Amino acid sequence: MSKKPSKTGSRAASRAGQRKSAKPATKRPPAPPKQATDERIARALETIVAHLAAASPASNEASSFGSADAFVWHPNGRLAPVPRVSRVELGLLKGIERVRDILIENTERFADGLPANNVLLWGARGMGKSSLVKAAHANINLERKPARRLKLVEIHREDIESLPALMDRLRRSDFRFIVFCDDLSFDGNDASYKSLKAVLEGGIEGRPDNVILYATSNRRHLLAREMIENERSTAINPGEAVEEKVSLSDRFGLWLGFHRCSQDEYLAMVKGYCAHFGIKLAEAELEREALEWSTTRGSRSGRVAWQFTQELAGRLGVRLKPD
């Protein structure tokens, strides 16, 4: 009769096999001296601080704003100074005296730290909407000390989604700013108008106290008619959908309308330009040529008057010196 193997012997053999197969433990490298560790931490912290400083607005932002009166905003966070703004003198803008006075009064109040409204300048093309904004800005700064000069910041229509970032940048400055968007409108399924809407009134932070927004548009409601009609046809409550779109314009406290000028206003613009730049031509001949020019263009406006003035000055050999 065979003998069963002993349990004690089997366990002993198993332990012996485990000892033979066990590899020697890997030795850990000696810990570096505490002083070397502290130095590495200090260098890492310095690197982090340097990167944060490079990514944040420059510490000399106040002096950079003092370097110019006008800037162009780029969505990468850069404000490019504009040494010389392309503009015309306020006195050369004819036929818009009423809206001119309203805009200047609103801008002066804002520059003096008093309550003022965002402004939407809307209406006919070429009637001086953007020219009036730039001229009013220059007129306000004529007799102001450098520390109290009003700054003009232009944001392009396609960059409107970065408007909240621009507002955050300007909020920290001691200067006061007009943020200006020329030819503002929205088409199709463009939802970037919501960024503008939040900045104007609806956001939790709202518009900074040192910033006001001026915009020009050929549309009173900033949105294409088909865009509003589409919202009406697809919404559960058509009335509310239209109100949502129209309410964007409502957030501008002032609406300044620009309408097509009369023949007399058009001729006054031409004569004003000619007198300012020293272009001499018999009045009857000047009127005849100016009217013929507007007829070929199919419209009368400040832009057409300026284009005729350039044509006439070039033909007569008169240089249009900058103001």
Side-chain angles (χ1 to χ4, degrees), residues 42-74:
R43 284 196 298 270
L45 289 174
E46 289 174 0
T47 303
I48 293 172
V49 170
H51 280 297
L52 289 175
S56 63
S59 58
N60 62 344
E61 198 165 73
S63 61
S64 68
F65 282 135
S67 65
D69 284 343
F71 300 83
V72 175
W73 167 254
H74 296 274

Side-chain angles (χ1 to χ4, degrees), residues 93-100 103 119-133 215-218 255-261:
L93 299 176
K94 307 292 184 181
I96 54 174
E97 287 78 11
R98 180 175 175 275
V99 293
R100 176 200 64 194
L103 185 69
V119 182
L120 175 63
L121 301 90
W122 68 277
R125 299 177 184 274
M127 281 305 297
K129 298 184 291 293
S130 59
S131 295
L132 179 58
V133 172
T216 69
S217 178
N218 297 320
W255 289 3
L256 301 181
F258 289 70
H259 308 285
R260 297 189 182 278
C261 62

Side-chain angles (χ1 to χ4, degrees), residues 10 83 135 166 278 288 295:
S10 298
L166 171 59
R288 185 188 68 79
T295 301

Side-chain angles (χ1 to χ4, degrees), residues 110-179:
F110 172 71
D112 291 335
L114 297 173
N117 276 304
N118 300 309
V119 182
L120 175 63
L121 301 90
W122 68 277
R125 299 177 184 274
M127 281 305 297
K129 298 184 291 293
S130 59
S131 295
L132 179 58
V133 172
K134 292 182 284 188
H137 166 253
N139 186 74
I140 295 298
N141 280 341
L142 279 177
E143 298 180 0
R144 289 184 176 268
K145 297 179 180 179
R148 298 187 65 246
R149 292 177 74 85
L150 195 59
K151 305 299 178 180
L152 181 67
V153 179
E154 182 176 20
I155 181 171
H156 296 138
R157 158 65 191 87
E158 57 271 20
D159 300 329
I160 206 69
E161 285 187 342
S162 65
L163 186 58
L166 171 59
M167 291 295 180
D168 185 60
R169 179 83 173 269
L170 302 182
R171 191 188 304 271
R172 300 190 294 266
S173 175
D174 292 331
F175 286 103
R176 302 184 73 78
F177 300 89
I178 298 174
V179 172

Side-chain angles (χ1 to χ4, degrees), residues 106-317:
N106 189 74
T107 309
E108 282 181 338
R109 289 203 305 264
F110 172 71
D112 291 335
L114 297 173
N117 276 304
N118 300 309
V119 182
L120 175 63
L121 301 90
W122 68 277
R125 299 177 184 274
M127 281 305 297
K129 298 184 291 293
S130 59
S131 295
L132 179 58
V133 172
K134 292 182 284 188
H137 166 253
N139 186 74
I140 295 298
N141 280 341
L142 279 177
E143 298 180 0
R144 289 184 176 268
K145 297 179 180 179
R148 298 187 65 246
R149 292 177 74 85
L150 195 59
K151 305 299 178 180
L152 181 67
V153 179
E154 182 176 20
I155 181 171
H156 296 138
R157 158 65 191 87
E158 57 271 20
D159 300 329
I160 206 69
E161 285 187 342
S162 65
L163 186 58
L166 171 59
M167 291 295 180
D168 185 60
R169 179 83 173 269
L170 302 182
R171 191 188 304 271
R172 300 190 294 266
S173 175
D174 292 331
F175 286 103
R176 302 184 73 78
F177 300 89
I178 298 174
V179 172
F180 171 53
C181 185
D182 192 21
D183 198 18
L184 179 63
S185 61
F186 301 93
D187 293 301
N189 296 320
D190 188 355
S192 61
Y193 75 91
K194 294 182 180 179
S195 298
L196 174 62
K197 187 175 178 181
V199 166
L200 287 172
E201 296 294 344
I204 191 170
E205 287 185 308
R207 172 170 57 90
D209 292 337
N210 64 329
V211 178
I212 200 168
L213 198 141
Y214 287 1
T216 69
S217 178
N218 297 320
R219 301 171 182 163
R220 184 175 182 178
H221 292 300
L222 301 179
L223 303 153
R225 182 178 296 276
E226 59 269 20
M227 189 175 177
I228 297 178
E229 293 298 329
N230 182 62
E231 289 291 329
R232 177 184 283 115
S233 63
T234 59
I236 296 175
N237 188 326
E240 289 183 0
V242 175
E243 285 298 322
E244 166 73 10
K245 299 292 184 180
V246 173
S247 65
L248 176 61
S249 298
D250 289 342
R251 282 168 161 75
F252 289 89
L254 281 178
W255 289 3
L256 301 181
F258 289 70
H259 308 285
R260 297 189 182 278
C261 62
S262 65
Q263 178 173 298
D264 289 341
E265 289 170 335
Y266 168 72
L267 291 175
M269 294 173 188
V270 170
K271 292 175 183 178
Y273 282 134
C274 289
H276 180 76
F277 292 108
I279 303 172
K280 297 180 180 179
L281 190 67
E283 184 173 353
E285 180 68 10
L286 178 64
E287 290 184 358
R288 185 188 68 79
E289 290 197 20
L291 292 175
E292 182 180 348
W293 180 272
S294 68
T295 301
T296 61
R297 297 301 304 272
S299 67
R300 293 188 297 261
S301 69
R303 181 179 297 146
V304 173
W306 172 244
Q307 290 167 344
F308 169 71
T309 303
Q310 289 180 303
E311 164 68 19
L312 185 61
R315 179 152 44 91
L316 298 179

